[in-house]
Amino acid sequence: MQKFILALLVVFSGLTLTSAQTIPSPTDFLGYDIGTQFSRNHQVIDYFKAVEKAAPHQVKLENYGKTNERRDLYLAFVTSEANMKQLETIRENNLKNAGLLEGEATATDIAIVWLSYNVHGNEASSSEASMLTLYKLLTEQQELLKNTVVIIDPSVNPDGRDRYVNWYNRTKSEPYDVDKQASEHNEPWPAGRPNHYLFDLNRDWVWATQVETQQRLEFYNKWMPHVHVDFHEQGINEPYYFAPAAEPLHEIITDWQRDFQTQIGQNHAKYFDKEGWLFFTRERFDLLYPSYGDTYPTFMGAMGMTYEQGGHGMAGLGILNDEGHVLTLVERLTHHTTTGLSTVEMASKNAKQLNTEFSKFFNNTNLKYKSYVLKGNEDKLNSLKTLLNKHQIAFENATNTKVSGYHYATGKQGSFNVDANAVVVHSNQPKGKMVKVLFEPNTKLSDSLTYDITAWSLPYAYGLDAIASTSQVQSRIILSKKALQNLNDAYGYVSKWNSMEDAQFLAELLKQNFKVRFTEKPFTSNNTKFERGSLIITKGDNKHIKKMVSKLNTIAQEHAQPLTAINSGFSQSTPDMGSPDIKLVNKQKVAILSGEGTSSLSYGELWHFFEQQLHYPLTSINTDDFSKTNLNKYNVLILPNGYYGKVFTENNLTKLKDWVKSGGKVIAIDGALRSFAGKEGFSLNFKTPEADDQKENLTAYADREREYSNHLITGAIFNTKVDATHPMAFGYSDQYFTLKLGSSAYNILENGYNVAYLNDTKVFSGFAGQQALKALDQTLVFGEEPMGSGSFIYMVDNTLFRSFWENGKLFLVNAVFFVNNNAYEL
Ligand SMILES: [Zn+2]
């Protein structure tokens, strides 16, 4: 046998030592023909490890983190032996070429291609394809690796993948059943697409709220590839989709990026045509919303692309689709392997030009707005800085006293004074195009038909006052923060209330059994004015806590929470500390509905919010169990966005109302409001748009999609009027910018408090169709409807959508802890 191998080596003397003879194929390694079974995540990773072992001079695996369920995340670096020896030099050269690292690039003829598989867990053909792609690169396609570094992420979302694969493996028939009604083609709630917290990781690139994204971005920004591909799947009747993308394309996308997408697409088409495989291009998948696996890389200078295979969580190992075709996993992974290799081929063939164009992309001297200046409370500015750091976008502090330009709060030209804490972000920096995408007031839309939201402008999302200036604003490097002073003995301590940091501080105090009060009216003490919502921790309330001052000091230091000492319960201006307007915060027991009927995304956002952001306990109750649940164990019940038709039967609705009347509090979000609108005992009502005019019935068939968009709001930003005296709005001013995700509209409450509502329908950013706008004027955004001793709280707009609208989060915390605080203690 030895001799035989040697003889082979002589025969194939052109091949390097890492030939197919030593590298295990996926089929050999897995013990089944690839595509005839779904491989669990660890099998995929084990295969990559086996290949690394067989070809260590060409493959290097790097562990880049862990998921919430403690699965390891890996990147595989695949290239020629010569490149592998100087991998770090190649990486640094690339950053120098983009101006992201000091120094002159010495060589710029290596292409860097990053292939991301299985970001959606139940689009499961792609991790299978990652194995075959790796194998083929190292066997049939060695030539391409001479001038290409291929970075493979075989499983971006291993928790989701295993949720799907484990479910499928235990559900499927033997042999698999192609009947789409079979249980193996119908995943249960919440399905395998999202990650542990049920977030869609392909909407999270910019916001980076999830650990998978956060850990990946560190490596992404270290490497800054020239090409990035995100492998997906769509419905079982769809053919394959690849680049070029559909309009709208963001205006910063360069001509070269557009052209080269087409060239790549044409190269794929060559292979697909040869086999007679169907595909489509230039439709449906646009490049606008910046948080995708195609747009983010594109706005960071790469050729960012999405490839979509028909299949998805429904397809299993094989399914008979509506066109009478049995779509198999083998077929799905073959297509993904073909486009993956074709992508590497195009990068290799155009390595030099990729480098040249990549370098040009990072020159940003010609952008319209030169500086974005932001001011607001320190916590909000800090959370913005945290976000910018995740993307290694530079920022400084302002030195000017007055800046002018486009004023976000008014939507007009204006000016304001800045203090030394104001943050300045210049667009003339290597990542300036991303700065433009994230900060510009209104994204230019070449087409209103888009796949996603059309507004995300950071000043609105973070609740900061901002100016976009067409001339460069003076700035200086940020000074380090002063340390907090230790607390001295006092009557009590007051904390401000206007940020998530304040909310986390409160949550921690409650968990540690502190008695905390909040004020419903402003007061002055110790020569300081405290606003509504300010937290008060008195020594008298907390005699049960040993070494109370020292313990409070520790918590305050850990949370970097400045506290003001007060020396007496007698205020300079009322209320005094014993006033009924200063109330104890109840240590709320919070429950949430999950499961069938709830939107898994919305439930996941709330779950993640309580567990990972607020750090406050939350009990999850399955909707199936609602009728037998003893609600009296909780103070607050949260209803995520969803369709509760089957949950709130007449009996269950009565049960819910009875619990509220006796002091319970329901927080209903977005679609959950439908369960109460127009029902007996509720003042909540739909606002129906005026009847469409006759003209619409004469719409041509070909224009039907466009006509429909007239009724849509695809994530647009509106100014709302806020009743800042209501506890749900503590910490806010009388103006709040809301992200509207749809056109559902509810009338102003007749019996209840309208905490925030739309007073006019000016669109500050994003797209809203004319018909949809008509119905929006004078409609509810947030409100409270008291019922008996309790309340229904309505949140028409979901402030936790993808968890990126930072400025909306406090409304929810206020709703939990401050609204209708008469609630009993359990
Ligand atoms: Zn997908």
Side-chain angles (χ1 to χ4, degrees):
M1 190 67 189
Q2 282 272 315
K3 266 184 196 159
F4 177 68
I5 290 173
L6 273 177
L8 271 181
L9 282 175
V10 174
V11 173
F12 298 109
S13 55
L15 294 178
T16 62
L17 273 174
T18 46
S19 72
Q21 304 308 310
T22 52
I23 295 169
S25 73
T27 294
D28 287 344
F29 180 83
L30 297 166
Y32 46 82
D33 284 343
I34 187 150
T36 59
Q37 300 286 348
F38 279 105
S39 313
R40 293 190 298 279
N41 185 67
H42 82 86
Q43 294 174 289
V44 177
I45 299 304
D46 286 351
Y47 175 72
F48 273 75
K49 287 181 177 169
V51 174
E52 181 192 34
K53 204 170 163 197
H57 305 302
Q58 282 203 268
V59 179
K60 188 169 91 95
L61 268 184
E62 194 152 348
N63 179 316
Y64 71 91
K66 264 192 195 327
T67 66
N68 293 295
E69 296 172 17
R70 300 181 307 285
R71 291 184 178 86
D72 283 315
L73 295 160
Y74 283 100
L75 292 174
F77 295 82
V78 187
T79 189
S80 70
E81 201 171 325
N83 290 337
M84 190 58 87
K85 280 185 186 143
Q86 47 160 352
L87 199 59
E88 184 60 10
T89 313
I90 293 171
R91 185 186 75 79
E92 287 183 359
N93 254 323
N94 184 48
L95 295 183
K96 287 174 186 168
N97 188 37
L100 292 163
L101 191 68
E102 294 267 325
E104 199 67 28
T106 50
T108 51
D109 49 6
I110 307 261
I112 302 170
V113 180
W114 185 308
L115 306 176
S116 287
Y117 295 90
N118 231 145
V119 59
H120 290 144
N122 60 359
E123 298 171 10
S125 74
S126 77
S127 288
E128 309 289 343
S130 77
M131 295 187 275
L132 193 58
T133 305
L134 173 71
Y135 180 69
K136 294 207 173 221
L137 280 172
L138 292 165
T139 53
E140 298 163 14
Q141 307 283 350
Q142 277 287 352
E143 199 56 30
L144 303 178
L145 298 177
K146 283 187 176 159
N147 69 343
T148 312
V149 175
V150 183
I151 304 170
I152 299 179
D153 188 334
S155 189
V156 174
N157 174 17
D159 292 350
R161 178 180 175 83
D162 272 0
R163 188 183 315 123
Y164 173 75
V165 168
N166 289 331
W167 166 79
Y168 182 82
N169 286 344
R170 73 171 178 260
T171 307
K172 84 171 187 76
S173 316
E174 185 61 44
Y176 59 82
D177 190 337
V178 299
D179 178 354
K180 70 177 178 186
Q181 296 192 72
S183 56
E184 67 194 69
H185 300 300
N186 294 283
E187 285 183 273
W189 191 98
R193 176 185 175 96
N195 77 342
H196 171 79
Y197 281 110
L198 308 182
F199 272 65
D200 184 335
L201 293 180
N202 191 33
R203 305 290 187 279
D204 192 49
W205 278 73
V206 164
W207 320 126
T209 63
Q210 300 302 298
V211 289
E212 292 89 347
T213 316
Q214 289 158 9
Q215 297 168 119
R216 176 174 7 94
L217 280 181
E218 272 182 47
F219 280 78
Y220 189 92
N221 280 293
K222 251 168 82 176
W223 273 93
M224 297 293 285
H226 307 135
V227 178
H228 179 269
V229 181
D230 219 28
F231 291 87
H232 288 265
E233 292 193 90
Q234 49 187 341
I236 55 169
N237 299 312
E238 310 286 344
Y240 202 95
Y241 163 85
F242 48 72
E247 292 288 347
L249 265 63
H250 196 285
E251 58 174 322
I252 61 147
I253 296 172
T254 64
D255 289 346
W256 151 259
Q257 284 176 316
R258 288 167 183 254
D259 282 357
F260 195 57
Q261 276 210 8
T262 306
Q263 292 178 42
I264 292 177
Q266 283 164 345
N267 201 54
H268 298 343
K270 195 176 74 191
Y271 295 106
F272 275 57
D273 287 347
K274 206 156 70 188
E275 303 289 343
W277 298 334
L278 282 176
F279 59 87
F280 68 98
T281 66
R282 288 161 288 182
E283 291 177 73
R284 204 173 305 166
F285 302 101
D286 58 70
L287 292 173
L288 194 72
Y289 171 74
S291 218
Y292 285 124
D294 53 12
T295 46
Y296 182 92
T298 300
F299 303 161
M300 288 291 202
M303 304 299 313
M305 292 172 293
T306 288
Y307 298 166
E308 298 266 356
Q309 163 63 43
H312 206 261
M314 205 178 180
L317 289 176
I319 191 167
L320 182 66
N321 75 9
D322 296 348
E323 296 196 338
H325 171 68
V326 175
L327 176 68
T328 64
L329 178 61
V330 172
E331 185 184 341
R332 290 152 61 198
L333 79 91
T334 307
H335 295 167
H336 268 341
T337 306
T338 304
T339 52
L341 291 173
S342 164
T343 305
V344 178
E345 180 193 0
M346 284 301 285
S348 169
K349 277 188 181 158
N350 298 280
K352 193 97 198 148
Q353 200 179 359
L354 270 175
N355 276 275
T356 314
E357 297 294 336
F358 191 69
S359 174
K360 279 192 215 160
F361 184 91
F362 292 89
N363 180 336
N364 293 310
T365 50
N366 288 327
L367 297 171
K368 176 183 168 192
Y369 291 118
K370 303 297 179 205
S371 303
Y372 299 91
V373 185
L374 304 108
K375 67 173 189 177
N377 81 51
E378 202 182 331
D379 289 341
K380 286 179 180 173
L381 287 169
N382 282 340
S383 55
L384 178 73
K385 290 179 199 170
T386 305
L387 181 78
L388 296 176
N389 282 332
K390 284 176 183 166
H391 306 294
Q392 298 175 16
I393 291 171
F395 51 85
E396 297 194 328
N397 275 148
T399 52
N400 284 46
T401 49
K402 189 171 184 181
V403 290
S404 45
Y406 179 89
H407 190 200
Y408 288 70
T410 57
K412 296 178 193 144
Q413 294 298 307
S415 60
F416 60 45
N417 291 319
V418 291
D419 59 21
N421 288 324
V423 169
V424 182
V425 186
H426 300 301
S427 63
N428 186 12
Q429 60 171 306
K431 289 181 180 165
K433 290 199 178 67
M434 187 57 108
V435 170
K436 173 181 160 72
V437 171
L438 297 180
F439 283 89
E440 70 188 333
N442 213 338
T443 303
K444 192 172 154 193
L445 280 174
S446 59
D447 192 321
S448 58
L449 289 178
T450 164
Y451 201 64
D452 210 300
I453 60 170
T454 51
W456 47 79
S457 183
L458 290 184
Y460 296 120
Y462 279 71
L464 293 164
D465 200 3
I467 293 268
S469 165
T470 50
S471 59
Q472 175 121 353
V473 171
Q474 281 178 28
S475 61
R476 60 177 166 73
I477 289 169
I478 287 190
L479 303 172
S480 57
K481 257 176 76 177
K482 276 186 282 181
L484 275 188
Q485 286 191 341
N486 283 323
L487 297 180
N488 292 318
D489 202 37
Y491 171 86
Y493 307 88
V494 188
S495 159
K496 70 176 180 69
W497 182 263
N498 57 20
S499 73
M500 266 306 290
E501 283 68 18
D502 303 331
Q504 288 163 344
F505 177 63
L506 171 64
E508 185 61 33
L509 290 176
L510 293 176
K511 279 192 296 185
Q512 301 218 23
N513 288 319
F514 273 82
K515 294 270 181 209
V516 182
R517 292 177 188 270
F518 71 103
T519 181
E520 288 202 338
K521 288 186 182 158
F523 68 93
T524 304
S525 185
N526 202 11
N527 298 320
T528 312
K529 187 181 175 199
F530 298 102
E531 300 296 337
R532 289 187 175 86
S534 297
L535 304 177
I536 299 136
I537 308 111
T538 70
K539 257 170 58 183
D541 280 335
N542 289 288
K543 286 180 181 146
H544 59 288
I545 293 178
K546 276 189 200 142
K547 296 189 181 162
M548 177 267 184
V549 177
S550 138
K551 201 164 173 187
L552 179 63
N553 187 53
T554 308
I555 300 172
Q557 293 285 350
E558 278 168 8
H559 286 257
Q561 189 73 10
L563 298 178
T564 307
I566 52 170
N567 298 319
S568 168
F570 190 93
S571 299
Q572 286 159 294
S573 76
T574 55
D576 293 324
M577 292 309 103
S579 157
D581 292 324
I582 294 189
K583 295 175 170 165
L584 272 177
V585 181
N586 194 25
K587 188 174 173 181
Q588 305 288 48
K589 294 272 281 177
V590 186
I592 183 170
L593 289 189
S594 65
E596 284 301 340
T598 67
S599 146
S600 62
L601 290 169
S602 178
Y603 167 72
E605 285 153 5
L606 287 151
W607 178 18
H608 183 263
F609 179 78
F610 276 85
E611 227 165 81
Q612 297 292 336
Q613 299 179 49
L614 188 60
H615 305 290
Y616 194 80
L618 180 71
T619 298
S620 171
I621 294 167
N622 201 297
T623 47
D624 287 346
D625 300 327
F626 182 77
S627 55
K628 62 178 185 205
T629 299
N630 175 8
L631 290 176
N632 294 329
K633 293 175 77 173
Y634 316 102
N635 304 102
V636 181
L637 177 67
I638 302 178
L639 310 180
N641 183 21
Y643 299 88
Y644 290 86
K646 285 185 190 154
V647 182
F648 293 122
T649 56
E650 214 179 307
N651 280 348
N652 281 345
L653 190 58
T654 305
K655 172 181 171 160
L656 189 70
K657 278 160 78 175
D658 287 347
W659 172 70
V660 168
K661 284 176 190 159
S662 69
K665 197 155 67 176
V666 166
I667 301 176
I669 297 170
D670 194 354
L673 272 69
R674 282 189 296 249
S675 310
F676 313 123
K679 297 273 169 68
E680 199 197 320
F682 291 90
S683 82
L684 184 71
N685 267 306
F686 290 112
K687 185 174 178 193
T688 39
E690 294 154 39
D692 297 336
D693 41 38
Q694 286 283 319
K695 230 169 83 191
E696 210 168 307
N697 297 330
L698 300 174
T699 303
Y701 180 76
D703 295 335
R704 67 198 186 283
E705 246 186 311
R706 207 150 294 281
E707 176 56 42
Y708 180 64
S709 75
N710 236 330
H711 300 262
L712 294 180
I713 292 174
T714 47
I717 298 171
F718 295 87
N719 188 9
T720 67
K721 228 178 142 27
V722 177
D723 171 8
T725 67
H726 189 277
M728 192 177 170
F730 286 174
Y732 290 92
S733 70
D734 57 6
Q735 179 186 46
Y736 166 75
F737 287 96
T738 193
L739 177 66
K740 233 171 213 317
L741 299 163
S743 47
S744 299
Y746 298 87
N747 287 313
I748 300 290
L749 294 175
E750 278 177 30
N751 300 313
Y753 303 101
N754 295 283
V755 180
Y757 60 96
L758 278 185
N759 204 17
D760 79 80
T761 54
K762 174 180 159 73
V763 181
F764 277 72
S765 188
F767 172 79
Q770 281 310 314
Q771 289 293 338
L773 279 179
K774 277 189 195 166
L776 271 188
D777 198 21
Q778 300 294 318
T779 57
L780 183 70
V781 175
F782 306 131
E784 179 201 359
E785 178 168 4
M787 191 178 287
S789 313
S791 291
F792 280 86
I793 295 163
Y794 305 126
M795 301 186 78
V796 177
D797 294 346
N798 172 12
T799 58
L800 290 189
F801 175 73
R802 294 178 193 166
S803 209
F804 84 99
W805 202 258
E806 285 299 322
N807 196 33
K809 291 177 179 175
L810 205 59
F811 280 113
L812 177 65
V813 180
N814 287 338
V816 170
F817 291 107
F818 294 164
V819 176
N820 194 349
N821 193 60
N822 305 317
Y824 52 91
E825 214 170 322
L826 294 172

